[in-house]
Amino acid sequence: MTELHEHLEPHRAELTGYCYRMLGSGFEAEDAVQETFVRAWRTYDAARGPLRPWLFHLATNVCLDMLRGPQRRARAMDLGPAVTPGAGLGAPLPRERWVYPIPDDRLDPAELAVAKETVRLAFIAALQHLAPRQRAVLILRDVLKWTAAETATLLSTTVTSVNSTLQRARAKLPATDPPAGEVDEDLLSQYVAAFECYDVDALVSLLHEDATESMPPFAWWLRGRESIHAVMRAADAPCAGSRLVPTRANGCPAFAQYLNGEPFALVVIEGGDRITNVTTYLDPELFPLFGIDGSKARPADEFEARAAY
């Protein structure tokens, strides 16, 4: 078993990326890969052929089992229109309703270098619109570049069926805006300085005119620099005194936000020469996943009381 474990570990990163695209949650992707390894320990036989295809076969079955629930994961933008300034947060939704982030260091660096857009939050949310088998075929064929024959073998089906499923998946996949590129490092430095001082004017000046902002677990979200400015101006400096610790998520810069010295949220930043989207996950349980100290995390029921916008 120890010898097999040594052969399994080199496949962890690419399997994590695959399971993440299938499931839309870094937490669930980690669980799926671990279950894949457990099944591999129980079932792998070199007579079956190479290890990698067998692992993807097992991972696909694990993900399909995990996707039997009735609800798909989503971003706030997929759940309803943008709110107007002054609207309440509404009730928080359970974690399993949200597309959740994944740390860059859990993914295959080579894959990130050539297919970064396929782990962006918008693309992961778009994948959730596909039926599970359609999702698997599209990821294997269009993202991981498996051949139709390889995919058919993995899914125990025919090349004709794979090609037909891929065609339907491509037609059903919602369009997403192309990524704006890498956020400029100087822009990030300005963002951190403005955020930690809660300088509203400076923060808003860094946003694209059509920037969006959301705050899972709430379906509440904003579109447009003016709306974001109005909401932040009306708030009573809820994030004053915050400290941001840099990390990376979904191929983007991200920050662990500490408020009053305690873990509070994970902030994912998207954009180019201006920030186009800010997603603030009010879930300190993400800190350990990202290798960040979350030992003093506050319970989730305090979020609504402390989040002012």
Side-chain angles (χ1 to χ4, degrees):
M1 183 174 292
T2 300
E3 182 180 351
L4 179 58
H5 177 77
E6 292 175 353
H7 289 291
L8 294 176
E9 278 303 316
H11 298 281
R12 183 181 292 275
E14 66 170 350
L15 286 170
T16 299
Y18 175 60
C19 293
Y20 177 64
R21 293 179 180 96
M22 286 290 291
L23 300 170
S25 163
F27 291 120
E28 289 195 353
E30 296 255 297
D31 290 344
V33 172
Q34 194 57 39
E35 175 62 21
T36 296
F37 284 1
V38 169
R39 294 188 187 188
W41 287 327
R42 293 172 179 167
T43 64
Y44 180 63
D45 182 344
R48 295 180 183 273
L51 176 61
R52 181 173 179 264
W54 182 244
L55 289 174
F56 271 88
H57 170 76
L58 294 175
T60 300
N61 288 339
V62 169
C63 290
L64 293 177
D65 288 344
M66 294 174 70
L67 288 168
R68 297 188 187 282
Q71 292 181 322
R72 64 177 175 86
R73 292 180 177 270
R75 298 184 305 160
M77 297 78 164
D78 304 317
L79 300 176
V83 302
T84 56
L89 289 172
L93 300 179
R95 181 188 285 172
E96 58 267 22
R97 291 298 313 278
W98 298 102
V99 167
Y100 249 53
I102 191 167
D104 279 12
D105 63 12
R106 302 298 176 94
L107 303 172
D108 183 354
E111 189 177 305
L112 267 181
V114 299
K116 185 182 295 184
E117 70 279 1
T118 69
V119 293
R120 296 290 171 91
L121 292 169
F123 184 77
I124 299 301
L127 285 173
Q128 310 310 303
H129 288 265
L130 303 181
R133 285 183 70 84
Q134 288 181 339
R135 200 179 307 174
V137 168
L138 187 135
I139 295 167
L140 290 165
R141 294 283 285 113
D142 284 356
V143 176
L144 302 182
K145 306 302 181 184
W146 287 47
T147 67
E150 290 170 334
T151 305
T153 299
L154 183 147
L155 295 174
S156 302
T157 187
T158 65
V159 169
T160 300
S161 176
V162 165
N163 289 336
S164 176
T165 300
L166 178 61
Q167 186 176 20
R168 292 195 301 273
R170 286 171 174 168
K172 187 177 178 182
L173 186 72
T176 59
D177 293 332
E182 275 296 319
V183 180
D184 182 78
E185 288 296 327
D186 183 58
L187 183 68
L188 283 178
S189 297
Q190 294 178 58
Y191 179 85
V192 171
F195 193 101
E196 292 186 342
C197 295
Y198 203 72
D199 185 335
V200 172
D201 291 338
L203 269 174
V204 172
S205 73
L206 305 175
L207 302 179
H208 188 277
E209 182 179 356
D210 294 323
T212 55
E213 183 166 348
S214 59
M215 214 164 50
F218 302 102
W220 175 105
W221 68 283
L222 294 167
R223 179 184 293 280
R225 192 163 51 202
E226 291 186 6
S227 292
I228 295 171
H229 186 270
V231 169
M232 294 183 74
R233 272 294 180 199
D236 187 23
C239 294
S242 289
R243 181 171 65 92
L244 298 183
V245 176
T247 183
R248 288 192 64 85
N250 296 76
C252 299
F255 297 95
Q257 179 189 352
Y258 288 81
L259 184 60
N260 298 326
E262 298 185 5
F264 183 63
L266 185 88
V267 184
V268 182
I269 306 292
E270 297 174 85
D273 58 354
R274 283 288 182 271
I275 293 170
T276 58
N277 180 65
V278 179
T279 307
T280 301
Y281 289 92
L282 299 174
D283 188 348
E285 290 187 19
L286 282 164
F287 282 43
L289 179 66
F290 280 77
I292 300 165
D293 180 19
S295 59
K296 296 182 180 180
R298 288 186 178 275
D301 60 7
E302 295 190 23
F303 286 149
E304 188 162 15
R306 298 184 63 187
Y309 66 89

